[in-house]
Amino acid sequence: MNDNEKVETVLMMDAARYAREAGEQIVSLMEKPLHIQEKKNASDLVTEVDLLSERIVRERIAGDYPEHWIMSEETDGVLRSSHEAFRQPQKGYGWIIDPIDGTINFIHGLPHFAISIGIVRDGIPVCGVVYNPMTRELYSAQRGYGANLNGQIIRVNPESLLENAVLATGFQADDWRPNSPAVEQIGNLTGQSRSVRILGAASLDLCLVASGKLTGFWHEGLYPWDVAAGVLMIQEAGGKVTNRQGAPFSLSDKTLIASNGAIHDALLAIL
Ligand code: 2AM
Ligand code: CA
Ligand code: CA
Ligand code: CA
């Protein structure tokens, strides 16, 4: 391990610690009445628990690593420039945080939401964690050193036939018009795969591809905090993540197509 890699192992362990601490708080507040605020519309929500989780993680990072930059959904999401930030990435270490990914699931008590923390060096993801506090599943990965679920190595699914693949996707309420591209894609892929699921938390969906439970995942219009950790998870588990053109996925991309690798071309051909 070189010096950077040694640092990054420690960053990954610290990220896990912060995610667990935030997760404990989130779960303890679930039974209490929530104050739910609409952002753009009735499907775009934030609660005081999202804000609390974000505050916990940001404060821990600022305390331990004051020289690192931080980007997180509820602080930076309004800028709409989060993709642009990765066209000419900032130097040094940065933390990219979604304090609750899957807020609608959280609000409705569906146990599929997570804290996602991705860490980049000079704009490149180098380590990250995704923690589901309901199931206590902690996914972690470090560039070059594999991906783990609660300490066990994970690998993508070896399935090579699209017809046997289980896929997931998601889309925003704005995309739901008859015959819109998103609707057509779901229809096409439902016909050509075993099934298409909409689980509602992109970071965890990516981890399900990494751990072989899903064969692929695609999504339009995600943000860096949704994917910074999950993309590395898949790459380190032997899978593939690209943009629509089939080029390696960058945090400046808005379309993400992820798979075990073996079905990737078949998926790209349909999307
Ligand atoms: P969130 O719960 O943090 O908002 C669901 O398809 C995925 O898309 C979730 O990861 C969700 O993250 C994200 N998402 C849902 N609505 C969104 C919106 N209006 N803008 C950006 N991302 C959204
Ligand atoms: Ca949100
Ligand atoms: Ca999110
Ligand atoms: Ca969120």
Side-chain angles (χ1 to χ4, degrees):
M1 258 195 190
N2 65 34
D3 286 349
N4 281 336
E5 290 169 345
K6 284 179 194 152
V7 168
E8 287 150 21
T9 302
V10 176
L11 296 180
M12 183 177 67
M13 292 184 329
D14 283 338
R17 201 153 48 80
Y18 308 153
R20 284 201 168 98
E21 183 185 345
E24 236 170 77
Q25 288 291 322
I26 293 169
V27 171
S28 77
L29 291 168
M30 267 184 98
E31 302 304 316
K32 308 226 166 91
L34 291 170
H35 301 103
I36 302 165
Q37 267 182 282
E38 286 187 19
K39 296 205 279 185
K40 278 187 321 208
N41 54 53
S43 314
D44 189 5
L45 306 174
V46 61
T47 71
E48 75 277 23
V49 185
D50 297 71
L51 302 177
L52 174 71
S53 172
E54 182 169 284
R55 193 164 72 235
I56 291 170
V57 177
R58 288 188 76 113
E59 280 179 7
R60 294 293 169 273
I61 297 165
D64 292 346
Y65 301 101
E67 68 283 16
H68 294 182
W69 57 266
I70 305 174
M71 172 189 275
S72 60
E73 180 180 8
E74 308 307 343
T75 300
D76 302 297
V78 287
L79 294 176
R80 299 278 151 209
S81 59
S82 51
H83 295 98
E84 297 302 319
F86 293 95
R87 289 192 211 288
Q88 277 174 330
Q90 234 173 301
K91 290 271 167 216
Y93 284 108
W95 297 64
I96 308 171
I97 303 154
D98 194 334
I100 299 183
D101 185 43
T103 291
I104 293 178
N105 286 345
F106 164 69
I107 290 169
H108 289 262
L110 294 164
H112 188 72
F113 57 85
I115 300 112
S116 175
I117 305 177
I119 300 170
V120 298
R121 175 176 16 100
D122 303 339
I124 308 296
V126 287
C127 57
V129 303
V130 176
Y131 180 57
N132 179 340
M134 298 295 286
T135 59
R136 301 208 164 125
E137 286 169 303
L138 180 89
Y139 295 88
S140 59
Q142 181 177 356
R143 180 168 296 277
Y145 293 90
N148 289 265
L149 165 55
N150 291 344
Q152 302 287 108
I153 292 170
I154 52 174
R155 295 292 297 171
V156 294
N157 187 314
E159 182 58 57
S160 59
L161 293 176
L162 188 60
E163 65 192 65
N164 295 335
V166 179
L167 308 172
T169 186
F171 56 97
Q172 269 86 65
D174 323 356
D175 297 331
W176 182 246
R177 295 178 311 280
N179 306 319
S180 69
V183 173
E184 202 165 295
Q185 286 166 355
I186 292 171
N188 288 341
L189 277 163
T190 299
Q192 297 187 54
S193 67
R194 183 165 285 168
S195 189
V196 173
R197 305 298 192 202
I198 297 178
L199 302 173
S203 63
L204 274 179
D205 299 349
L206 292 168
C207 291
L208 290 175
V209 176
S211 60
K213 290 169 185 148
L214 290 170
T215 329
F217 173 77
W218 82 98
H219 207 301
E220 295 282 344
L222 290 175
Y223 289 86
W225 41 83
D226 298 312
V227 301
V231 163
L232 184 65
M233 227 62 80
I234 294 182
Q235 291 165 339
E236 287 298 321
K240 190 166 176 177
V241 189
T242 71
N243 61 19
R244 182 179 307 290
Q245 286 70 44
F249 181 81
S250 138
L251 292 174
S252 61
D253 284 321
K254 290 184 183 163
T255 303
L256 179 149
I257 299 168
S259 78
N260 64 348
I263 64 151
H264 207 84
D265 288 345
L267 202 52
L268 272 176
I270 293 168
L271 297 169

XYZ file of all heavy atoms in Angstrom, residues 50 73-74 98-101 103, ligand 4:
65
model
N -33.236 14.070 7.963
C -32.212 14.223 6.905
C -31.202 15.291 7.332
O -29.987 15.115 7.183
C -32.851 14.684 5.579
C -33.831 13.699 4.978
O -34.933 13.539 5.554
O -33.516 13.100 3.946
N -26.201 16.650 0.013
C -27.442 16.975 -0.691
C -28.171 18.176 -0.106
O -28.541 19.085 -0.838
C -28.403 15.775 -0.703
C -29.699 16.133 -1.443
C -30.727 15.017 -1.513
O -30.545 13.982 -0.872
O -31.725 15.226 -2.225
N -28.404 18.188 1.194
C -29.295 19.223 1.740
C -28.604 20.572 1.894
O -29.256 21.591 2.061
C -29.924 18.757 3.060
C -30.604 17.384 3.023
C -31.640 17.217 1.900
O -32.108 18.217 1.325
O -31.955 16.054 1.582
N -24.844 11.764 1.037
C -26.305 11.787 1.058
C -26.732 11.331 2.453
O -26.550 10.184 2.826
C -26.887 10.862 -0.017
C -28.367 11.137 -0.225
O -29.012 11.620 0.723
O -28.865 10.861 -1.328
N -27.266 12.252 3.262
C -27.525 11.934 4.677
C -28.647 10.911 4.868
O -28.615 10.143 5.835
C -27.907 13.276 5.291
C -28.367 14.122 4.143
C -27.582 13.653 2.939
N -29.651 10.926 3.984
C -30.599 9.800 3.888
C -30.887 9.626 2.401
O -31.502 10.500 1.778
C -31.931 10.044 4.625
C -31.713 10.273 6.121
C -32.859 8.830 4.415
C -33.032 10.442 6.926
N -30.430 8.539 1.831
C -30.792 8.230 0.451
C -31.973 7.277 0.519
O -31.877 6.210 1.128
C -29.616 7.586 -0.283
C -29.950 7.372 -1.749
O -30.534 8.283 -2.369
O -29.637 6.283 -2.270
N -35.329 8.882 1.046
C -36.123 9.596 2.054
C -37.590 9.149 2.065
O -38.195 9.039 3.136
C -36.018 11.121 1.822
O -34.680 11.517 2.128
C -36.964 11.903 2.706
Ca -31.192 12.291 0.360
